[in-house]
Amino acid sequence: MRTTMAFICTMLFAARGHADGQVNLSVKTDESRVTYHIVHKFHKVDGVSKKVEGRVRILPTGVAQVAIRVPVESFDSENVNRDEHMKETVEAAKFPIVEVKATGDGMTMPTTFPSTMTKNMTAQVTFHGISHTIEIPVTVVFLAANKVVATTSFPISLDAYKVARPSLLFVKIDDAMKLDASLTLVQ
């Protein structure tokens, strides 16, 4: 009985959320994170932000529109000195936000849950005051009609964003910085 009631409530919520055919989702900050990975010849550094903001809109046509923002100040590599140096390097005071705006088609809400789909999206990534358009792979897990988890992993070039790569013992960090995101989205 409890399972039947939960199913009915989920379907009613989903129907209400889809009345005009559009689905609006927001990032659930306490369950979402963006991580950067940089590599130096002698070690690897990971910095995590749990202060992700954003929204996703899935239109009746199946087009998904995504807008995600992360404050540069919020990344934590568990080393305060390194974090301060990174903030100086990427000029966090001047360029305080990393932003991703993406679109993709073929995104429709499934009729059964959980359900998974993988899509490539066209994304405009703005970092260090510069925007570049790239293709990013996104895996979307529809846990329920009102809860989705989206993950992606893609590299960006620090040189392309005009970031002066830091060095240690006269050796610069690698140009490729990998970004991983795990976003929980709710209606």
Side-chain angles (χ1 to χ4, degrees):
M1 179 68 174
R2 192 177 286 181
T3 304
T4 304
M5 201 59 162
F7 176 75
I8 291 170
C9 288
T10 300
M11 296 317 293
L12 287 173
F13 185 86
R16 187 176 67 233
H18 302 283
D20 64 355
Q22 179 173 301
V23 177
N24 295 306
L25 302 162
S26 298
V27 170
K28 189 169 188 207
T29 303
D30 63 335
E31 294 182 25
S32 300
R33 68 193 39 163
V34 173
T35 305
Y36 73 78
H37 308 277
I38 55 175
V39 176
H40 183 271
K41 185 176 184 173
F42 302 116
H43 66 283
K44 179 181 169 187
V45 175
D46 302 319
V48 179
S49 174
K50 297 178 183 175
K51 294 190 176 181
V52 185
E53 304 170 352
R55 297 194 177 278
V56 174
R57 178 176 26 207
I58 303 173
L59 302 174
T61 59
V63 172
Q65 300 171 329
V66 179
I68 305 295
R69 297 168 48 100
V70 183
V72 174
E73 292 276 337
S74 67
F75 284 94
D76 180 9
S77 71
E78 298 183 351
N79 180 311
V80 174
N81 290 332
R82 180 174 45 226
D83 291 340
E84 288 303 316
H85 187 240
M86 286 303 293
K87 290 172 192 173
E88 288 174 22
T89 299
V90 299
E91 301 177 274
K94 188 175 180 181
F95 307 110
I97 301 292
V98 176
E99 187 173 60
V100 177
K101 293 181 179 177
T103 59
D105 57 8
M107 292 281 196
T108 55
M109 290 296 284
T111 55
T112 60
F113 303 96
S115 183
T116 302
M117 71 172 58
T118 301
K119 297 284 183 181
N120 284 332
M121 299 187 83
T122 302
Q124 180 181 3
V125 178
T126 303
F127 171 55
H128 197 240
I130 297 172
S131 297
H132 288 289
T133 301
I134 61 173
E135 292 292 314
I136 61 173
V138 180
T139 299
V140 182
V141 179
F142 296 90
L143 297 173
N146 61 351
K147 188 171 184 179
V148 176
V149 174
T151 57
T152 186
S153 181
F154 58 93
I156 63 170
S157 162
L158 293 172
D159 291 343
Y161 287 91
K162 301 193 184 325
V163 173
R165 291 185 281 146
S167 59
L168 176 65
L169 301 174
F170 305 105
V171 177
K172 289 184 178 184
I173 65 170
D174 289 353
D175 175 44
M177 178 174 75
K178 187 174 141 199
L179 291 175
D180 292 336
S182 178
L183 309 174
T184 298
L185 304 152
V186 294
Q187 279 191 345

